[in-house]
Amino acid sequence: MKKITGKLISTPVVLKDGYTAIVLIMVETQKGCQEFYKDSTITEVAKLINSDFSKVALSTIGDIVEFDAETTSSGKRIWHFKNVTHNF
């Protein structure tokens, strides 16, 4: 995993398919603009509140964010997300 710090340059996009939700973000880093995702199984909506998934989804353009990223066959997956700008 790599530690990523950067500025959100797009509005997070949430996609849903069955019992899975995915949020996509574009982050400007020292290596240029990169796309990342966070996925979550939706068994109960209450489990999404105050989760890494909701923190990613509730962030906005211009926010400084930090997280660990793991490269998977689907792309770069987010772990341990923190919004530095709004401290959540």
Side-chain angles (χ1 to χ4, degrees), residues 22-84:
I22 298 172
V23 60
L24 304 172
I25 58 172
M26 183 71 69
V27 179
E28 182 176 30
T29 69
Q30 291 181 343
K31 294 184 178 183
C33 297
Q34 298 181 53
E35 184 177 328
F36 300 91
Y37 77 94
K38 178 66 181 168
D39 57 343
S40 182
T41 302
I42 306 171
T43 55
E44 293 179 43
V45 173
K47 290 184 179 180
L48 292 177
I49 297 170
N50 294 318
S51 68
D52 273 356
F53 185 89
S54 70
K55 291 174 186 176
V56 175
L58 294 172
S59 295
T60 191
I61 296 172
D63 288 354
I64 302 300
V65 297
E66 292 179 346
F67 54 89
D68 294 322
E70 170 189 29
T71 301
T72 69
S73 61
S74 300
K76 296 174 186 164
R77 187 172 191 223
I78 296 169
W79 294 94
H80 313 294
F81 185 87
K82 179 178 181 182
N83 184 311
V84 176

